[in-house]
Coordinates of all heavy atoms in Angstrom, one line a residue:
Chain B
F4 N 9.9 -24.3 2.8 CA 9.0 -23.5 3.7 C 7.6 -24.1 3.7 O 7.1 -24.2 4.8 CB 8.9 -22.1 3.1 CG 8.2 -21.1 4.0 CD1 8.8 -20.4 5.0 CD2 6.8 -21.0 3.8 CE1 8.1 -19.6 5.8 CE2 6.1 -20.1 4.6 CZ 6.7 -19.4 5.6
A6 N 6.9 -27.2 3.3 CA 6.9 -28.5 4.1 C 6.8 -28.1 5.6 O 6.1 -28.8 6.3 CB 8.2 -29.2 3.8
D60 N -11.2 -48.1 29.8 CA -9.8 -48.2 29.5 C -9.0 -47.0 30.0 O -9.6 -46.0 30.2 CB -9.6 -48.3 27.9 CG -10.2 -49.6 27.4 OD1 -10.5 -50.5 28.2 OD2 -10.3 -49.7 26.2
R65 N -7.2 -44.9 25.4 CA -8.5 -44.5 24.7 C -8.2 -43.5 23.6 O -8.8 -43.5 22.5 CB -9.5 -44.0 25.7 CG -10.2 -45.1 26.4 CD -11.2 -44.6 27.4 NE -12.1 -43.7 26.8 CZ -12.8 -42.8 27.5 NH1 -12.6 -42.7 28.8 NH2 -13.7 -42.0 26.9
N95 N -24.8 -33.6 7.5 CA -24.8 -32.2 7.9 C -23.9 -31.3 7.2 O -24.0 -30.1 7.2 CB -24.5 -32.1 9.4 CG -25.7 -32.5 10.3 OD1 -26.6 -31.7 10.6 ND2 -25.8 -33.8 10.5
I104 N -19.8 -21.0 1.9 CA -19.5 -20.4 0.5 C -20.3 -19.2 0.2 O -19.8 -18.2 -0.2 CB -19.7 -21.5 -0.6 CG1 -18.6 -22.6 -0.4 CG2 -19.6 -20.9 -2.0 CD1 -18.8 -23.8 -1.4
F117 N -17.8 -1.8 -0.2 CA -18.1 -0.7 0.7 C -16.8 -0.2 1.3 O -16.6 1.0 1.5 CB -19.1 -1.0 1.8 CG -20.5 -1.1 1.2 CD1 -21.1 -2.2 0.8 CD2 -21.2 0.1 1.1 CE1 -22.4 -2.2 0.2 CE2 -22.5 0.1 0.5 CZ -23.1 -1.1 0.1
A121 N -15.6 3.6 0.8 CA -15.3 4.5 2.0 C -13.8 5.0 1.8 O -13.5 6.1 2.2 CB -15.4 3.7 3.3
I132 N -20.6 4.8 6.0 CA -20.1 3.4 5.9 C -19.4 3.0 7.2 O -19.7 1.9 7.7 CB -19.2 3.2 4.7 CG1 -20.1 3.4 3.4 CG2 -18.6 1.8 4.7 CD1 -19.3 3.4 2.1
E206 N -1.8 6.4 -0.9 CA -0.9 7.5 -0.5 C 0.6 7.1 -0.8 O 1.5 7.9 -0.6 CB -1.0 7.8 1.0 CG -2.4 8.2 1.4 CD -2.8 9.5 0.7 OE1 -2.0 10.4 0.5 OE2 -4.0 9.5 0.2
V210 N 2.2 5.1 -6.3 CA 1.0 5.6 -6.9 C 1.2 7.0 -7.4 O 0.7 7.3 -8.5 CB -0.1 5.5 -5.8 CG1 -1.4 6.3 -6.3 CG2 -0.5 4.1 -5.5
L247 N -15.8 -17.4 10.7 CA -17.0 -17.6 10.0 C -17.6 -19.0 10.1 O -18.7 -19.3 10.4 CB -16.8 -17.4 8.5 CG -17.9 -17.0 7.6 CD1 -18.3 -15.6 8.0 CD2 -17.4 -16.9 6.2
T251 N -21.1 -20.3 12.1 CA -22.2 -20.9 11.5 C -23.1 -21.6 12.6 O -24.3 -21.8 12.4 CB -21.8 -22.0 10.5 OG1 -20.9 -22.9 11.1 CG2 -21.2 -21.4 9.2
A257 N -30.2 -20.9 15.0 CA -31.3 -19.9 15.0 C -32.3 -20.3 13.8 O -33.5 -20.1 14.0 CB -30.8 -18.5 14.7
L286 N -13.4 -29.3 12.6 CA -13.3 -27.8 12.5 C -11.8 -27.4 12.7 O -11.3 -26.5 12.0 CB -14.2 -27.2 13.6 CG -15.7 -27.3 13.3 CD1 -16.5 -26.6 14.4 CD2 -16.1 -26.7 11.9
S311 N 11.8 -14.4 -0.3 CA 12.3 -14.8 1.0 C 12.1 -16.2 1.4 O 12.9 -16.8 2.1 CB 11.7 -13.9 2.1 OG 10.3 -14.2 2.3

Side-chain angles (χ1 to χ4, degrees):
Chain B
F4 185 88
D60 292 354
R65 279 177 57 201
N95 287 269
I104 290 174
F117 284 95
I132 292 175
E206 300 303 316
V210 171
L247 203 67
T251 54
L286 291 181
S311 70

